[in-house]
Amino acid sequence: MVFLSKRYRMDKKIEDGAVESWNGLDLTLDRPVTIRITDIETEIGQRVRMQAQALSRLEHPSLLHIYDSISTSTQFAIITESLPSRNLAQDLQERGRFSAYEAVQIVIQVGEGLASLHQAGFAHGGVEAHHISLREDRTPLITVGPPTGDAVKIPARPSNDISSLGRLCHLLIVGTTPTIDVHGRIAIHPTIPSSLRPILEKALSDQAPWNNSFAMILAFQSVVHELKTLEFQAGIAKASYLESEKTWFAPIFAILSAAVLIIGIGLLLA
């Protein structure tokens, strides 16, 4: 058992590396926390401390809440809310894919979190499914990178984050990231709804990308209602199909039951 000052207990290391992550406990408030520790004598440690100190008051539901920080002569520790046990990549592997409506809702919330980073002068570097977890209320949470870790790509630029959101949206809906066609262009999967295609194409374009994350988020928000309607109609169609299947199955089941009964009686008489 390791103690960080008199207030925090470090119970189990959950991630090694230049920035270690620990499950811990706030002894004063008796609540679980995540503790991230880095060596400030390294370049990464200095960068993480600078980012965390600059972003400590930045509040967004998709960014980790920083509760506290502790500095020593050699180490810097960040205390945050407890991390969810599963990430979005694991959820995707289990489910196969998300509906377009669900995917866009996730991307909008993650995008708003990234936009708040951009506004503060920082960038993530390229968000991926394993960088994101869903809280119990289904709010997406960026658990890797700023404000409590190093950027995933150096130098980290807002344009990296914008293109990564396009890939993430495609991945959640289709189950795979976009491919490259024979002409070297990004190929959007045909199952992507038509209203979403131009948004993703622009996000992934090298020639005419979105100018900033806010513009792309507005574009995603403009199609939410349409995607919700499509999801509702798909649900009705599926329910109708299942009902028709039950209608066809009932007489067949009756015939099979009668046949089994007749055979059983015949065997009994024999």
Side-chain angles (χ1 to χ4, degrees), residues 84-230:
S85 58
R86 290 170 59 85
N87 61 47
L88 192 56
Q90 293 168 320
D91 289 339
L92 181 62
Q93 186 176 19
E94 187 176 288
R95 292 183 50 167
R97 65 183 185 86
F98 288 74
S99 72
Y101 173 70
E102 289 176 302
V104 167
Q105 291 281 64
I106 291 171
V107 168
I108 287 173
Q109 293 176 79
V110 172
E112 288 174 344
L114 293 174
S116 65
L117 281 179
H118 301 166
Q119 199 168 28
F122 294 88
H124 184 277
V127 70
E128 298 180 16
H130 64 276
H131 298 153
I132 303 166
S133 295
L134 295 178
R135 291 191 179 95
E136 290 185 3
D137 64 358
R138 308 300 291 172
T139 302
L141 174 67
I142 303 170
T143 58
V144 178
T148 63
D150 198 19
V152 301
K153 180 180 179 181
I154 302 296
R157 299 185 176 90
S159 58
N160 303 139
D161 295 345
I162 290 172
S163 60
S164 71
L165 283 173
R167 287 191 298 273
L168 177 65
C169 187
H170 192 286
L171 173 68
L172 294 178
I173 298 171
V174 180
T176 60
T177 53
T179 57
I180 306 296
D181 64 19
V182 293
H183 303 291
R185 296 174 299 196
I186 295 291
I188 304 297
H189 197 274
T191 58
I192 296 289
S194 58
S195 58
L196 262 183
R197 295 179 68 86
I199 301 174
L200 298 188
E201 287 170 351
K202 192 173 179 66
L204 298 166
S205 171
D206 292 328
Q207 305 301 321
W210 291 103
N211 293 329
N212 56 65
S213 49
F214 292 103
M216 184 173 67
I217 291 166
L218 287 173
F220 275 122
Q221 289 173 336
S222 70
V223 300
V224 166
H225 179 71
E226 178 185 336
L227 296 177
K228 187 174 183 179
T229 302
L230 289 174

Side-chain angles (χ1 to χ4, degrees), residues 54-60 63-66 113 116-118 120 147:
L55 299 171
S56 61
R57 295 187 179 181
L58 186 64
E59 286 289 334
H60 189 275
L63 299 178
L64 276 170
H65 300 314
I66 298 177
S116 65
L117 281 179
H118 301 166

Side-chain angles (χ1 to χ4, degrees), residues 4-62:
L4 179 68
S5 77
K6 295 181 179 180
R7 178 167 181 174
Y8 302 105
R9 188 182 73 207
M10 299 163 60
D11 295 326
K12 181 182 177 182
K13 185 187 291 187
I14 54 177
E15 187 177 348
D16 211 339
V19 182
E20 294 181 356
S21 292
W22 291 70
N23 283 332
L25 182 69
D26 181 336
L27 299 171
T28 301
L29 299 178
D30 191 29
R31 67 178 175 185
V33 294
T34 294
I35 302 170
R36 287 182 163 163
I37 300 178
T38 185
D39 183 350
I40 58 174
E41 295 179 342
T42 66
E43 182 181 342
I44 291 177
Q46 292 174 5
R47 196 159 53 232
V48 168
R49 180 173 66 172
M50 182 268 291
Q51 288 178 158
Q53 290 175 339
L55 299 171
S56 61
R57 295 187 179 181
L58 186 64
E59 286 289 334
H60 189 275
S62 290

